[in-house]
Amino acid sequence: MAEGVSCNNIGPVILLGPPGAGKGTQAKRIAERYGIPQISTGDILRDNVARGTDLGVKAKAIMGRGELVPDDLVCDMVATRLRSADCERGFILDGFPRTAKQAGWLDAFFEGEIFDKSHGDRCLPIVIRLDVDYNQLVHRLSGRRTCSANGHIYNVYTQPPRVADVCDIDGSALIIRKDDREDVVQERLRVYDVQTRPVAEYYEQKGRLVSVNGDLPMDQVTGQMFWVIEHHSVHAD
Ligand code: AMP
């Protein structure tokens, strides 16, 4: 068993849900409240694309089409990230796992490397799925604007910046992500249905899935997620 990764305190939280469900926004709030890192595979991949790394070069065109980056590339990337010291108290995964294969890989990783140092127990992640109506998703994705400097997310309909197209936090320009354009959005939602829905079924069959109504106002969704995290046992029997 490797040192350095443990589940004492909060433990791993997995956030599932379609693109546009609000995973990024909610993950940031959870990260802030519990002092654990948000691990967004989409953000890490976008950073690799921006820096032109080998991984970024391989991922760029795939992401531009709204398809999924191959499992082995993403799993290696996640393993490296989870072994970092800042994941010791727990972490929140946003956008991973996205295929049944990734979910199986993650369970094996947890089995081998994630444990509670204080009790020596194996621990299980809390899996929360945000459920959102399909038309809402399209509406939210088409209204999404992202800060070009710090990644903060706005929505022109539900959470507009104070000044149009300008980040409230640092005044940087807000951009529309390439994959938030309408044709790509349709493809991402289709890919979610085919490849990521089975991930929720995988955790449901294991009795580990908790659903939260993502159509509720954002603060209520956050409140429900905090409740789930604080009332959920993270240790395996
Ligand atoms: P997101 O920001 O989570 O919507 O992810 C943006 C894009 O990054 C996705 O459409 C995929 O191309 C890629 N991506 C993110 N996470 C994963 C993952 N777990 N597996 C495969 N591809 C991913």
Side-chain angles (χ1 to χ4, degrees):
M1 198 177 274
E3 286 292 326
V5 186
S6 72
C7 70
N8 37 4
N9 302 311
I10 300 303
V13 179
I14 295 176
L15 208 47
L16 299 179
K23 295 191 299 297
T25 303
Q26 297 297 341
K28 281 189 176 58
R29 292 177 169 196
I30 291 169
E32 202 168 296
R33 179 173 170 103
Y34 301 108
I36 57 174
Q38 171 200 9
I39 300 174
S40 156
T41 44
D43 284 350
I44 302 175
L45 286 166
R46 276 185 290 279
D47 177 58
N48 275 273
V49 171
R51 290 187 292 116
T53 64
D54 282 354
L55 173 61
V57 169
K58 287 179 188 144
K60 187 174 180 181
I62 301 170
M63 292 172 73
R65 291 194 298 270
E67 294 166 9
L68 294 185
V69 175
D71 290 328
D72 51 342
L73 294 181
V74 180
C75 291
D76 284 352
M77 180 183 94
V78 169
T80 304
R81 182 65 188 88
L82 293 186
R83 289 184 180 123
S84 307
D86 66 334
C87 292
E88 282 193 17
R89 286 188 56 249
F91 46 84
I92 172 152
L93 281 169
D94 153 18
F96 184 93
R98 236 169 163 118
T99 64
K101 196 165 164 212
Q102 290 177 13
W105 174 89
L106 188 63
D107 263 350
F109 184 86
F110 283 160
E111 180 82 27
E113 301 200 22
I114 304 277
F115 63 104
D116 186 328
K117 281 181 183 158
S118 51
H119 298 96
D121 288 342
R122 204 158 59 78
C123 63
L124 293 174
I126 303 167
V127 186
I128 306 174
R129 181 182 60 194
L130 283 173
D131 292 329
V132 179
D133 170 74
Y134 183 89
N135 292 326
Q136 270 290 331
L137 291 175
V138 177
H139 187 67
R140 285 188 194 181
L141 287 168
S142 63
R144 182 154 75 179
R145 301 290 181 272
T146 307
C147 174
S148 52
N150 63 34
H152 193 79
I153 299 163
Y154 298 85
N155 190 291
V156 294
Y157 308 116
T158 56
Q159 216 194 341
R162 283 194 293 271
V163 178
D165 299 327
V166 176
C167 179
D168 291 350
I169 298 167
D170 64 8
S172 301
L174 301 185
I175 52 167
I176 302 178
R177 264 171 52 176
K178 280 203 184 81
D179 58 356
D180 280 345
R181 294 180 196 282
E182 186 147 359
D183 50 333
V184 185
V185 162
Q186 303 288 351
E187 175 61 8
R188 287 166 67 206
L189 292 172
R190 192 193 66 77
V191 166
Y192 175 80
D193 242 358
V194 176
Q195 290 184 272
T196 309
R197 211 172 276 285
V199 174
E201 283 158 16
Y202 172 91
Y203 289 119
E204 196 159 33
Q205 274 165 15
K206 290 174 180 276
R208 280 152 55 185
L209 184 73
V210 184
S211 295
V212 168
N213 180 357
D215 286 324
L216 293 172
M218 211 158 54
D219 290 346
Q220 282 185 40
V221 175
T222 308
Q224 292 204 3
M225 298 188 91
F226 290 168
W227 191 92
V228 169
I229 290 169
E230 284 158 28
H231 292 81
H232 209 269
S233 162
V234 295
H235 294 105
D237 294 331

